Amino acid sequence: MTEQRTQESPGDGVSTINYALAINHAMAEEMRRDSRVWILGQDVGRMGGVFGVTRGLLDEFGPLRVRDTAINETFIVGAAAGAAMTGTIPIAELQFADFMLIAGDEIFGKLAKWRYMHGGKLSLPAVVRVPTGLLGGVGAEHSQSLEVLGMHFPGVKVALPSTPADAKGLLKSAIRDPNPVLFFEHKGLYRVKGEVPDDPEFLVPFGVAAVRRRGDALTVIATGMMVDRTLAAADVLAREGHEVEVIDPRTLVPLDMETILESVQRTGRAMIVHEAVRTAGAGAEIASRIHEELFFALDAPVWRLGAIDTPIPQDPELEQLCIPQVPGIVEAMRGLIAL
Amino acid sequence: MASSAPRKRAATVITEVDATRATDLYRTVARIRAAELVLQRHITEHGFGGFWHPGLGQEGVQAGAVAALRTDDYMFIAHRGLGYALAKGMSLESLFGDLFARTVGSTGGKGGGTVHFVDPERGVLGQGGAIGSSFVLGAGAAISGQMLGTDRVCAIFFGDGASSRGTWHESALQASVWKLPIVWICENNGWAVSARISEQSPTENIADRASAYGVPGVIVDGQDAIAVFDAVTEAVDRARAGHGPTLIEAKTMRIRGHYEGDRQKYRDDLLVGDEIPRDPLGILREHVPASVADQLDDDARHEAESVLASVLEAPRADPSIIYKDVWS
Ligand SMILES: Cc1ncc(C[n+]2csc(CCOP(=O)(O)OP(=O)(O)O)c2C)c(N)n1
Ligand SMILES: [Mg+2]
C-alpha cells in the first residue's frame, strides 16, 4: 500500500484524464502487451461503446480482437468463459450491470464455478465490465448496484473503482488476474477527471483498501459513487471538530478487512455507505464482520446507509431520493458520533 | 482379416481404411457399452451417490462423432453417459474415478455422481449442470482456437431437450455470423426427462431449424456409428476450412430412464429386457468379422469389470479438497 501511494502521487508521467478514458487506456495497454487479450460486447467496435469507453480500439486492434456482438448477453459472457478456459483473455462489456442477471448462469454458474467443478484443471481469466449505478433517468432496469452478488457467489472477484487512477490500475490487474473478475464501472463517474499514471506497469492490487482520509472520530467505509459524497460529508464534520476516517475498499472480493478492522479498532465507531440497496447489501456483510471481530472495541453499533427498498424510479430527481445524499450522510455521521 | 468383412451399403470391395475404421468404432462402442452395463449393474446392486444418466443405446452417436475429431479439437460433453470422454481418449479409470469421487478421477476426487469429466490435453472441457450451458461456452472455445492461430474445431454435444434453451438461439446466430469452427451434435433420443420431443418441438426434426440460422442441418441415423462418423467428418472439414458451423441431429433412443433408477411411469414406449433395437454394435458387426467383434466385446467387458473393481478400491480425496481450486 505504501508503494501504491507513491505511484499515485502526481508528478512526471501523470495525465489528468477522465474515468472512461482511464479504463480505455487500461484495455489498450493490456491489448498491446498481450495479444491474447480481446473484447466483445454490443456496440463496442464501430461505435466505441454506448458510454464511449472502447473508442478507438477497433481501429487499433481490428475486428477479431474487438468484436461487436448481437443483443445476446448470455452469449457474451458464456463465450468469454469458454474463451478464457482455452487460452485467451476476454474482456466482456455489458451495456448495463443490470444485464448481469440475463447472463446470470454464465457469470455465477460458469465463470465462478467451472474451475472448481473441474478439479482445478482449467483457469478462467475473464473480465466482465459492467456499468453500474444511477445515471439520471435510465430507470429501474438500468440503474441497479448489484455488486453484492459477486460476494455471494464464491469464485468471482469484484472491483468497484471510485477514481480514474483506480479504474485504470484495477482494470489492468483484473486483465492480468488468472481469475474471473466482475468490474463495476460507475456510470456517474465516467466523465470525472483525475490524475492517472501513464506507466504501463501501473497496477492497483486487489484486496488493498485505500484510506481516502485520516481521522479518529469515526470510520466510514464507502464504495463507488459514495466515496466522494462521504468525503464531502467528512469535510462538514471536520469543520465541526470531528475527523472522520474514510476507507474505500476498492475491491469487495477480496475484501481488505485488515485495513477496516485496524481503523475501527482505533475509532471505535463504524458506518458503511453504499449506493446498493441497504438490505442484504455489502454493508450488511461488512457490519457483521466488524461486530464479530471487534464487539468489545466498539463504542456504538455499526450503521449502514444504502438505497431504500424500492426499485429505482425513472425520474432523475426522484431517483436521487432513493440513495444516500451528502446531507443524510452528514446527519448519520453526527448521530453515530453522538451515540 | 478385417478386409474380408462384408459390406452392405455398396457393392464395392471394402477398403482397408473402412475396415480399420469399422473395427476402431466397434472397439469404442463396445468399450462404452461395457462400461454402461457394468455401471448399471453396480448401481442396481449397490446404489449410487448421485445421478447416473445412462447412455445405453446412444453409444453409436458418441463413438462415431468423436472419431471424426482430432485429439486437440475442443469438446463439450453432455450428461448422457461417458462415451464422449472415453472416445476422446480419457482413461476409463479417470471416468469411473470421477463417478465414485476417487482421487484417480479426472477431477482428482472432486467429481462424484453426475459427470464433470475434464481433460484439457484432449480438449475435453467439461459439462455444465445447467442443460444447454455448452452452446455459449463452446463458441468461446472456438473463438480462442481461431485467435490463437490454430485450426481447432469445437464439438458441442447436447440433447433434444437442450435445444430449447435460449443459449442455443444466441449461439447459433452469433456463431453462424462469425463462421465459428463449431459442430453441434444433437443426440435426439426422443425424451427430455418425461417430456416427449413432440411436446417440445413444433417441427419433427431439430435440424429443421438450421436454415433459419444459415447453417447446414444434417439428419443422421444415430444408431449407425459409421454414418455419424461420415456426417461429422464432413462438418468438421467444413468448420476447419473456415466455412462455419453445422448442426447435426442424430436420431437415437433413450433405452433406460432419465437417470439409473428412474421408474419411468410416464413412459409408454418402454422397451423390455436388455434388447436394444437397432443396436449400434449389431449394425457395426456388418462390417467387422464376428471373431474380431467377439474378441473386442470380451476385452471391453474385462476392462470395465477390472477397472471398476480397482477404482472402488482407490482412495477418496482428503476432505480438505472442498477448499481447493476456487481460485487460480
Ligand atoms: C437449465 C436446466 N434445466 C433443467 C435441468 C434438469 N434436467 C437435467 S437433464 C434434463 C433433460 C435433458 O434432456 P435432453 O437435453 O434431451 O437430454 P437427455 O437427458 O435426453 O440426454 C433436465 C430437464 C437442468 N439440468 N438444467
Ligand atoms: Mg433427450
Side-chain angles (χ1 to χ4, degrees):
Chain A
M1 212 174 139
T2 335
E3 195 194 345
Q4 198 50 52
R5 237 179 250 122
T6 51
Q7 280 182 335
E8 280 170 18
S9 60
D12 283 350
V14 171
S15 306
T16 300
I17 56 173
N18 72 30
Y19 184 94
L21 194 57
I23 292 169
N24 177 285
H25 286 181
M27 289 188 282
E29 287 173 14
E30 293 306 298
M31 290 176 79
R32 279 175 213 133
R33 184 185 61 82
D34 187 340
S35 63
R36 296 170 306 166
V37 181
W38 60 288
I39 294 173
L40 78 165
Q42 287 148 34
D43 309 304
V44 294
R46 194 174 306 121
M47 179 185 185
V50 281
F51 296 108
V53 179
T54 52
R55 250 175 232 156
L57 299 182
L58 174 65
D59 286 344
E60 180 171 354
F61 299 104
L64 287 183
R65 291 182 70 195
V66 181
R67 292 181 183 241
D68 274 323
T69 67
I71 302 170
N72 51 17
E73 285 75 14
T74 306
F75 177 90
I76 291 169
V77 181
M85 70 176 86
T86 46
T88 60
I89 302 172
I91 304 171
E93 176 179 303
L94 300 182
Q95 294 194 334
F96 291 88
D98 311 69
F99 304 158
M100 288 190 336
L101 302 177
I102 297 171
D105 184 50
E106 283 60 40
I107 296 173
F108 304 113
K110 306 285 112 65
L111 283 175
K113 297 182 173 58
W114 206 259
R115 174 178 178 76
Y116 185 85
M117 290 198 307
H118 296 94
K121 291 248 176 96
L122 299 161
S123 292
L124 287 90
V127 181
V128 183
R129 294 181 35 244
V130 293
T132 186
L134 300 193
L135 180 63
V138 291
E141 300 152 283
H142 296 74
S143 301
Q144 296 168 96
S145 296
L146 299 172
E147 62 274 8
V148 72
L149 294 177
M151 298 179 84
H152 202 67
F153 291 86
V156 281
K157 294 188 175 181
V158 176
L160 195 59
S162 68
T163 68
D166 279 356
K168 181 177 178 191
L170 285 170
L171 183 54
K172 288 167 69 78
S173 294
I175 294 168
R176 297 183 189 195
D177 198 307
N179 297 289
V181 176
L182 290 176
F183 197 83
F184 289 84
E185 304 168 2
H186 202 293
K187 301 193 280 283
L189 292 175
Y190 275 138
R191 304 296 157 224
V192 171
K193 286 190 173 178
E195 284 168 340
V196 179
D198 300 324
D199 178 5
E201 284 308 307
F202 166 71
L203 300 173
V204 174
F206 275 52
V208 181
V211 180
R212 301 289 183 202
R213 190 181 193 292
R214 289 283 175 193
D216 53 12
L218 163 70
T219 302
V220 180
I221 300 106
T223 57
M225 188 74 157
M226 294 298 111
V227 174
D228 280 345
R229 290 187 186 181
T230 300
L231 288 171
D235 285 344
V236 176
L237 269 281
R239 290 197 287 278
E240 297 172 4
H242 300 293
E243 294 299 334
V244 174
E245 183 142 312
V246 178
I247 297 176
D248 173 1
R250 305 198 282 195
T251 61
L252 292 176
V253 182
L255 178 61
D256 181 4
M257 278 309 291
E258 221 173 291
T259 297
I260 294 170
L261 294 173
E262 184 278 322
S263 172
V264 180
Q265 181 95 48
R266 273 189 289 106
T267 62
R269 289 179 163 82
M271 181 162 90
I272 299 105
V273 186
H274 59 51
E275 185 177 327
V277 171
R278 182 176 181 273
T279 303
E285 177 62 28
I286 295 170
S288 280
R289 292 198 201 176
I290 295 171
H291 284 131
E292 283 165 358
E293 298 285 333
L294 293 180
F295 187 72
F296 296 104
L298 288 172
D299 296 321
V302 181
W303 282 10
R304 294 171 288 143
L305 299 185
I308 59 174
D309 286 338
T310 68
I312 299 294
Q314 191 82 34
D315 179 70
E317 280 175 33
L318 290 178
E319 72 175 17
Q320 283 297 327
L321 303 180
C322 297
I323 67 165
Q325 308 292 322
V326 178
I329 302 171
V330 168
E331 210 174 305
M333 286 175 171
R334 286 181 188 141
L336 187 52
I337 289 171
L339 269 191
Chain B
M1 68 186 142
S3 58
S4 65
R7 187 176 182 178
K8 198 173 136 196
R9 286 177 300 178
T12 51
V13 181
I14 192 163
T15 66
E16 202 64 41
V17 174
D18 285 339
T20 310
R21 173 68 58 203
T23 306
D24 285 348
L25 286 173
Y26 191 95
R27 181 183 301 106
T28 306
V29 172
R31 289 179 71 215
I32 303 170
R33 171 67 53 80
E36 286 280 351
L37 292 176
V38 94
L39 278 172
Q40 181 184 315
R41 197 182 64 215
H42 179 86
I43 293 167
T44 309
E45 288 170 9
H46 304 283
F48 186 57
F51 291 97
W52 168 244
H53 302 97
L56 195 76
Q58 298 183 208
E59 304 94 335
V61 187
Q62 302 179 0
V66 176
L69 302 174
R70 266 186 350 219
T71 307
D72 68 341
D73 282 332
Y74 299 121
M75 184 169 96
F76 283 86
I77 60 180
H79 59 286
R80 187 61 53 206
L82 49 62
Y84 330 89
L86 190 69
K88 199 84 184 344
M90 290 181 70
S91 73
L92 191 56
E93 182 187 48
S94 68
L95 306 181
F96 280 175
D98 282 328
L99 289 171
F100 294 96
R102 298 307 204 271
T103 51
V104 293
S106 72
T107 55
K110 203 173 255 165
T114 307
V115 286
H116 292 291
F117 309 130
V118 63
D119 186 347
E121 253 99 81
R122 292 185 177 80
V124 182
L125 299 172
Q127 191 253 139
I131 294 297
S133 299
S134 299
F135 299 120
V136 289
L137 300 174
I143 293 169
S144 273
Q146 270 185 346
M147 287 191 54
L148 296 170
T150 73
D151 63 350
R152 286 172 159 184
V153 164
C154 183
I156 300 169
F157 287 91
F158 62 105
D160 46 290
S163 73
S164 299
R165 281 288 313 275
T167 47
W168 158 254
H169 178 69
E170 291 192 7
S171 304
L173 283 174
Q174 195 71 75
S176 179
V177 168
W178 287 348
K179 295 207 183 314
L180 295 180
I182 292 175
V183 182
W184 293 297
I185 300 148
C186 178
E187 293 175 88
N188 184 349
N189 62 7
W191 293 92
V193 191
S194 71
R196 249 185 271 272
I197 180 68
S198 58
E199 293 159 345
Q200 305 174 64
S201 178
T203 58
E204 190 187 339
N205 306 305
I206 305 290
D208 293 345
R209 301 173 198 175
S211 66
Y213 297 106
V215 301
V218 179
I219 296 171
V220 64
D221 176 2
Q223 304 311 101
D224 182 345
I226 295 175
V228 174
F229 172 82
D230 289 342
V232 177
T233 298
E234 196 180 330
V236 165
D237 290 347
R238 185 171 181 276
R240 232 189 274 296
H243 302 310
T246 300
L247 170 58
I248 293 175
E249 176 180 5
K251 303 282 192 189
T252 182
M253 59 193 95
R254 198 184 84 195
I255 303 295
R256 306 285 297 174
H258 174 60
Y259 57 91
E260 193 57 49
D262 176 4
R263 296 176 60 199
Q264 306 195 75
K265 291 204 166 147
Y266 51 82
R267 206 162 156 178
D268 53 13
D269 67 337
L270 275 182
L271 306 151
V272 278
D274 289 335
E275 191 72 18
I276 297 169
R278 311 206 55 253
D279 188 335
L281 283 174
I283 293 173
L284 279 168
R285 269 180 180 261
E286 292 171 23
H287 310 281
V288 179
S291 60
V292 174
D294 289 348
Q295 184 62 51
L296 291 172
D297 285 343
D298 280 352
D299 293 349
R301 226 173 359 248
H302 181 259
E303 177 194 34
E305 277 163 13
S306 68
V307 171
L308 181 64
S310 77
V311 164
L312 292 173
E313 292 301 313
R316 292 178 62 93
D318 185 87
S320 64
I321 194 171
I322 63 169
Y323 296 105
K324 292 206 177 113
D325 302 321
V326 179
W327 305 109
S328 288

